[in-house]
Amino acid sequence: QFFVFCHGLLQLSQLLVSGYLKSSISTIERRYGLSSQTSGLLASFNEVGNTLLIVFVSYLGSRVHRPRLIGGGALLVSLAGFLMALPHFITGPYEYDRSVASTFSNTTDLCQPGAPGAWANLSDASCTPLASRENHEVLLVMFVAQALLGIGGVPIQPFGISYIDDFASERNSPLYLGILFSLTVVGPGVAFMLGSAMLRFYVDIDKVSTAEVQLTSKDPRWVGAWWLGFLVAASLVALCALPYFFFPREMPKEFPCPSRLCCVLSGFNSLVLPGFPVVLLRNLRHPVYLLVVLAQVNISAMVAGLATFMGKFLERQFSLTASLANMIIGAVNIPGAMVGIVVGGAILKRFQMSLRQCSALCVLGMLLCLLLAFPLLFLGCPTQKVAGVTHWDSSGFGHHDMACNARCRCPERGFNPVCGSDGVEYTSPCSAGCSSVTLRPDSSVLNYSGCSCVGGPGPAGVARPGTCGTGCSHLFVPFVVLSCLAGILASTSHTPSFMLILRSIQPEDKSFAVGIQFMLLRVLAWMPGPVLYGSAIDTSCVLWERRCERRAACRYYDNSLFRHR
C-alpha cells in the first residue's frame, strides 16, 4: 500500500511537469517568439523519446530491479523539468515596447515628427547576432528537455503497474490500479491550476523590481512567470523519486495468486520476441480491434490538440488572461471529462453490457457530443478592429489610410496596443499618431492624447493603453457550459471502448494488444495532434511579429477563422 501511495504521488507530479507546459504554451510563444506549429511540436516532442523506448523497456519487464528503474526514470523527469526552466535564466530580461522612458530604454513609441533617429536604432538593436543565437539555444534546450521527459517517463507506468499487479492480491489489484488511473486524469487538471497560479506573476519577478514593471496581466504584452511552475513540479518529482531506491526487488505477495489472470496485466512480460510479428498481424487483422483503435486515435488526436491550445483559444476569443483561461480548463473542462469516464464505467457495470451494447453506448455518446459541439462553431467573438491590419476606414472620420501618421515615421515592428476612443485598436501609440501621454502617480499610463488617426464621436484623438478586447463576454459562459457537456458525453465512451478491445481479442494477446493500442495512439494521435492543430491555428494569423527577419509569434488572429479551423 505504501508503494501504491508513492506511485500515485509520482504519477501525479510527473503529469504536472508534462501538463504544465500545455498550460503555459501561449506564454512561452509570446516570450520567445514561437509560432503555434513550433510550440505544438515542442508540446508533443516528449512522445518521441517515449515511443522509441516503451516496447523495449516493457519487454525487460521482470528481469530488472523495477523500483530502482522507476526511481531513475523519475530523476530524469525531474532533470527535464529543471531544464525546461533553464531558458529563463540564460536569456536577458523580457523586452517590450513602451511609451515612457524607463531604466531599460530611453526610447518612446509616441509620435515624434521628423525624428527617425530614435526609431532606427530600436528596430535593429534587438537583432544582434547574440539575440538570434540566444533564440536557437532556447529552442534546443527545450526540445532536449522534452525528449528527456519522454525517456524518463517510460519505466514509470508499465513497471509500476506490473509491480503492483505482481505483488497485490487479486482482490485488491483492480482497486490499486483504479486509484492510479484516476490520478492520471486528475494530474492535468492540477497542472492547469498550477499554471493559473504562476502566470499571475510577472516573468522577470527575479530580475526586476515590481515598481519597474508597467504591465498588468490584462496587457497583450504581458508574460507570466512560466518558468516557476517547472521548478515547483520538478522539485516534487525529485522528492517522489527518493523512496523508490529503497523498495525491494520483489515483495511477499498479499495473498497467493491462483490463476494466471492477474499476471496478464503485468505489461508485456509474457511477450516473446519471435512471436511478435504473428501476434501483431493477428490483432491488426481483427476488425473490431482495428476499428475501435482507429476511433480512439481520432478522439485522442483531438484531445491532444485541444489540451495544448484550448487555453490560447479562450484567451484570443474572449479576451481572457492566460491565468483565467487555465483556471477554466483545470476547474471545469478536465473535471467534466473525469465525470464522463466515471459515468461510462458505472453504466457498464450497472447494466452488464454486451459487446454490441458497448459499441452502441460509444456511438450514442459521440453523436450527442457532436450535437452539443456544433454550436461551438458560432459561439465566439468577431476579430477586433485593428487599424491597418483588419480594419481600413472609409467613413471620413478617422484617417486609417495611414497618411495620418506618415509624419511620425513609426517603426514597423512596434507593438504596444492602444484603444482609440472610436473603438478601433492601433498597434502602437505612434501608429495612432498620438503625440502626448498622461501618467498616473505610479507612472503607469492613463491615456494618450493628440492622436491624429483617432476620429469618430467623443473627444477627438484620445486613446487608452491596452487592447480594445473582443467585447462579447456574454458568449463566454454558454461556450464553457457547452464545451464541458460535450466533453462529458465524449468521455463516457472511454471505458466501453476499452472493454470492446479487451473482450474481442484472444486472452493471451491482451497485454500485447493494449501495448500496440497505446503505441498507435502515440504515433498517430499524441505526436501529430498538437502539430496539426498548431499549423491550422497559424494559418488564421493576420499579423506576425518579426524578430531578426524571421516570423515569430502571432500578434492578431482572424478570430472567426481561428474558431472554425
Side-chain angles (χ1 to χ4, degrees):
Q1 285 167 342
F2 182 60
F3 184 88
V4 174
F5 173 73
C6 288
H7 206 64
L9 282 183
L10 177 61
Q11 277 196 331
L12 194 63
S13 46
Q14 176 204 358
L15 283 162
L16 264 188
V17 179
S18 55
Y20 182 76
L21 173 68
K22 292 179 166 56
S23 76
S24 49
I25 204 101
S26 64
T27 301
I28 293 174
E29 280 180 13
R30 194 172 300 160
R31 175 65 183 88
Y32 294 109
L34 309 179
S35 68
S36 289
Q37 188 180 24
T38 307
S39 68
L41 184 61
L42 180 64
S44 63
F45 204 68
N46 59 333
E47 302 292 352
V48 175
N50 203 310
T51 308
L52 292 174
L53 282 175
I54 191 101
V55 171
F56 175 64
V57 168
S58 302
Y59 179 62
L60 288 175
S62 44
R63 298 181 184 80
V64 290
H65 193 308
R66 286 175 288 186
R68 274 187 202 155
L69 236 79
I70 293 174
L75 288 180
L76 263 185
V77 169
S78 169
L79 173 68
F82 287 120
L83 273 178
M84 282 302 293
L86 184 64
H88 171 74
F89 300 99
I90 56 176
T91 54
Y94 171 56
E95 288 168 5
Y96 54 90
D97 302 325
R98 48 184 89 203
S99 29
V100 186
S102 73
T103 45
F104 290 119
S105 67
N106 50 8
T107 55
T108 160
D109 51 15
L110 290 174
C111 177
Q112 295 170 305
W119 281 123
N121 62 14
L122 180 90
S123 50
D124 304 331
S126 60
C127 196
T128 55
L130 174 74
S132 65
R133 201 185 78 227
E134 200 174 65
N135 199 279
H136 288 137
E137 283 170 5
V138 164
L139 274 179
L140 183 67
V141 168
M142 286 186 154
F143 273 101
V144 167
Q146 279 289 91
L148 280 180
L149 177 62
I151 294 168
V154 166
I156 294 178
Q157 219 176 352
F159 283 175
I161 288 176
S162 64
Y163 192 80
I164 289 170
D165 197 62
D166 282 354
F167 305 121
S169 72
E170 254 186 293
R171 192 183 307 153
N172 292 345
S173 178
L175 169 72
Y176 295 149
L177 297 180
I179 292 171
L180 291 185
F181 181 67
S182 60
L183 281 174
T184 54
V185 188
V186 177
V190 181
F192 276 100
M193 299 303 267
L194 180 66
S196 173
M198 295 304 169
L199 296 179
R200 288 181 190 149
F201 300 108
Y202 182 65
V203 61
D204 291 322
I205 194 168
D206 58 328
K207 298 180 184 172
V208 302
S209 67
T210 38
E212 290 171 45
V213 182
Q214 295 167 0
L215 298 181
T216 64
S217 60
K218 289 194 169 58
D219 193 294
R221 295 163 298 162
W222 171 268
V223 168
W226 59 272
W227 50 277
L228 251 171
F230 283 116
L231 295 185
V232 171
S235 312
L236 280 175
V237 174
L239 278 176
C240 293
L242 295 176
Y244 283 91
F245 294 102
F246 303 103
F247 279 109
R249 181 173 179 150
E250 295 188 340
M251 280 187 189
K253 197 161 172 53
E254 277 191 328
F255 299 102
C257 168
S259 69
R260 269 206 73 250
L261 218 149
C262 62
C263 309
V264 167
L265 266 168
S266 18
F268 303 78
N269 303 349
S270 52
L271 169 66
V272 262
L273 279 183
F276 191 88
V278 184
V279 185
L280 179 63
L281 284 171
R282 185 166 67 213
N283 279 321
L284 288 183
R285 278 211 311 268
H286 196 301
V288 175
Y289 178 76
L290 197 58
L291 285 169
V292 175
V293 168
L294 284 178
Q296 287 186 338
V297 162
N298 281 300
I299 295 173
S300 303
M302 180 187 78
V303 171
L306 279 182
T308 311
F309 292 115
M310 180 78 160
K312 182 186 178 89
F313 179 81
L314 293 176
E315 285 169 45
R316 296 292 178 154
Q317 288 289 330
F318 303 104
S319 308
L320 305 184
T321 63
S323 174
L324 181 59
N326 281 333
M327 175 83 97
I328 298 292
I329 296 170
V332 180
N333 288 71
I334 293 179
M338 287 164 56
V339 169
I341 292 175
V342 172
V343 168
I347 294 175
L348 268 193
K349 192 172 173 175
R350 172 78 183 72
F351 297 110
Q352 297 289 319
M353 294 184 143
S354 67
L355 284 191
R356 185 161 289 175
Q357 289 170 319
C358 275
S359 59
L361 183 62
C362 291
V363 171
L364 184 68
M366 284 301 137
L367 281 176
L368 289 174
C369 170
L370 275 179
L371 281 177
L372 279 184
F374 186 69
L376 297 182
L377 279 170
F378 311 103
L379 280 181
C381 304
T383 315
Q384 60 260 64
K385 294 180 182 172
V386 184
V389 180
T390 61
H391 181 74
W392 288 269
D393 195 60
S394 54
S395 66
F397 267 133
H399 326 277
H400 300 163
D401 51 3
M402 291 306 161
C404 56
N405 62 21
R407 62 194 175 88
C408 302
R409 297 188 175 159
C410 303
E412 281 174 27
R413 56 167 71 89
F415 185 67
N416 173 7
V418 299
C419 182
S421 52
D422 54 355
V424 176
E425 193 170 315
Y426 299 83
T427 49
S428 71
C430 182
S431 66
C434 305
S435 52
S436 60
V437 58
T438 317
L439 296 181
R440 291 198 187 90
D442 66 350
S443 81
S444 62
V445 175
L446 177 65
N447 67 0
Y448 299 94
S449 47
C451 309
S452 50
C453 294
V454 180
V462 183
R464 59 178 173 82
T467 162
C468 291
T470 45
C472 67
S473 46
H474 59 285
L475 290 176
F476 175 53
V477 175
F479 181 91
V480 171
V481 170
L482 275 179
S483 68
C484 181
L485 287 174
I488 291 175
L489 286 167
S491 50
T492 50
S493 64
H494 185 278
T495 317
S497 68
F498 260 100
M499 293 320 294
L500 277 173
I501 286 178
L502 291 175
R503 287 189 199 161
S504 64
I505 49 188
Q506 296 173 11
E508 67 270 20
D509 293 351
K510 240 180 224 184
S511 55
F512 184 66
V514 173
I516 295 296
Q517 172 201 8
F518 276 108
M519 188 81 174
L520 289 171
L521 286 180
R522 282 223 162 83
V523 176
L524 299 177
W526 297 108
M527 278 186 205
V531 185
L532 291 170
Y533 266 68
S535 310
I537 290 172
D538 282 345
T539 59
S540 63
C541 183
V542 288
L543 178 67
W544 289 96
E545 166 197 7
R546 309 219 43 103
R547 286 195 193 180
C548 303
E549 300 315 303
R550 77 178 177 87
R551 209 174 72 171
C554 183
R555 300 268 200 226
Y556 292 107
Y557 290 96
D558 177 326
N559 268 354
S560 312
L561 266 184
F562 187 168
R563 188 168 64 246
H564 295 154
R565 292 194 178 160

